[in-house]
Amino acid sequence: MTISDVEQSHALRLDGKHVSKAILAEVGQELATCWKGQPPKLVVLLVGNDPASEVYVSHKMKASQKLGMTSETRRLPATISEHELLDRLDSLNHDPDVHAILVQLPLPGHINSQRVLEAIDPRKDVDGFHPLNMGQLLTGIEPVALPCTPAGMVRLLDYYDLSVAGKHAVVVGRSNIVGKPISLMLLHRHATVTICHSRTPDLPHLLSQADVVVAAIGRPNYVQADWVKPGAVVLDVGINRMEDGSLCGDVEKAVVHRASAVTPVPGGVGPMTIAMLMVNTMRLAQAQQGQTVKPWLMT
Ligand code: GUN
């Protein structure tokens, strides 16, 4: 099935909840059959008490515990110094029981996030944000762990057999967490990629040419449904909490009447991020045990 084959009046729902369950079941299976010794251990550093981060981290803990992995959240005060945080990372880097380290972002303003991410041992970098791992992604060498949210989006496309080869993908947002890595991943999968951001003039015009849209701006309903080309595949990364408590994406919901396939919010990209974190934790642990870890993105 190609993207143009799936044009229909109501978009195919790219069901991240369903696909993430399938991926988590595979991880559980692999741990049961191929893993020896202490379960893989993930440590998350949570600095301060950003409410969204609290929710994300609790999902991460639940998923890992369900798989029988060891996971731990280390809560640190928002006032922690960068130096102290770097010290904490140094001891985790040297702890042979810890396979995977994640520093939940965003960090308080007085801490230089890039310096912190660079301080994680690249072999334990479960987010794939270390410059060495990001550099590998850039140059076409697949790191053991790829950034979770973009990796989850590609796995979702793979599950539904949606090939992006030769398609025009327009990525809205240029963050290191989503926009840049998803652009590289789509490029590796042979898409023609345009990266847009707040200073891009005439976004509607660019989106009218997009076969694949990635919306990762963090603004509710920013992308209007009628900007999207009929039949496009829309991956909505936005998880915006509205005043009434509901969640909404970066793309207007009405896009389901225009696109051929859409990720719902919630239940699309979000659960895939968690599943890929589990995949990454297992892969890092396997690599640290000397097992061969097969590439999946750049095959
Ligand atoms: N904050 C929002 N998304 C992410 C992510 O994928 N990893 C980390 N570490 N922090 C985040």
Side-chain angles (χ1 to χ4, degrees):
M1 186 160 54
T2 67
I3 289 167
S4 54
D5 287 334
V6 291
E7 284 190 27
Q8 46 189 248
S9 59
H10 199 283
L12 172 70
R13 179 186 164 91
L14 302 176
D15 188 347
K17 229 170 153 176
H18 171 75
V19 180
S20 66
K21 276 187 193 149
I23 291 174
L24 291 170
E26 273 173 35
V27 173
Q29 188 65 28
E30 201 164 333
L31 285 174
T33 52
C34 308
W35 181 256
K36 292 172 195 70
Q38 293 292 316
K41 179 169 178 177
L42 166 69
V43 174
V44 174
L45 296 186
L46 178 56
V47 182
N49 34 29
D50 176 69
S53 294
E54 297 265 0
V55 174
Y56 298 148
V57 169
S58 78
H59 288 156
K60 292 170 185 182
M61 292 295 111
K62 269 187 209 142
S64 50
Q65 280 148 17
K66 223 168 152 182
L67 285 169
M69 293 182 181
T70 308
S71 60
E72 222 178 273
T73 301
R74 306 232 174 129
R75 293 173 168 276
L76 302 165
T79 51
I80 192 171
S81 69
E82 186 178 308
H83 188 267
E84 171 68 11
L85 186 53
L86 295 177
D87 271 355
R88 301 282 182 132
L89 285 172
D90 190 54
S91 55
L92 291 171
N93 285 342
H94 289 97
D95 183 343
D97 293 336
V98 175
H99 301 97
I101 304 168
L102 183 147
V103 177
Q104 186 66 27
L105 301 173
L107 289 170
H110 66 279
I111 297 175
N112 180 326
S113 303
Q114 199 53 36
R115 265 207 295 267
V116 170
L117 297 176
E118 283 177 28
I120 299 173
D121 183 329
R123 292 166 297 189
K124 298 189 178 187
D125 171 29
V126 75
D127 267 320
F129 292 161
H130 189 283
L132 191 98
N133 290 320
M134 283 290 231
Q136 286 194 333
L137 174 60
L138 178 71
T139 50
I141 301 162
E142 186 165 331
V144 173
L146 286 156
C148 302
T149 300
M153 287 191 268
V154 176
R155 291 287 284 260
L156 203 49
L157 292 172
D158 285 352
Y159 182 90
Y160 289 97
D161 252 341
L162 294 167
S163 167
V164 298
K167 303 291 176 185
H168 183 195
V170 172
V171 175
V172 192
R174 54 175 158 177
S175 70
N176 290 338
I177 298 180
V178 181
K180 285 181 205 159
I182 190 62
S183 301
L184 292 169
M185 290 182 200
L186 295 172
L187 191 60
H188 286 304
R189 291 295 188 87
H190 314 292
T192 302
V193 181
T194 301
I195 307 175
C196 305
H197 47 79
S198 51
R199 308 231 186 143
T200 301
D202 209 354
L203 183 62
H205 175 68
L206 282 165
L207 287 176
S208 73
Q209 301 169 14
D211 304 305
V212 179
V213 177
V214 175
I217 318 128
R219 291 207 207 168
N221 300 320
Y222 185 81
V223 174
Q224 294 180 20
D226 62 1
W227 295 355
V228 173
K229 179 172 146 180
V233 170
V234 177
L235 303 172
D236 190 347
V237 185
I239 308 180
N240 305 291
R241 179 74 62 187
M242 306 305 278
E243 273 183 5
D244 67 359
S246 64
L247 291 177
C248 122
D250 288 352
V251 184
E252 285 183 335
K253 275 209 161 52
V255 80
V256 294
H257 302 300
R258 203 162 165 95
S260 61
V262 177
T263 56
V265 177
V269 174
M272 294 301 295
T273 299
I274 305 291
M276 293 315 294
L277 180 66
M278 300 301 107
V279 169
N280 284 352
T281 301
M282 180 184 68
R283 288 168 64 90
L284 292 177
Q286 287 172 326
Q288 284 160 48
Q289 259 201 356
Q291 295 184 32
T292 312
V293 181
K294 285 197 212 109
W296 65 268
L297 176 74
M298 304 176 192
T299 48

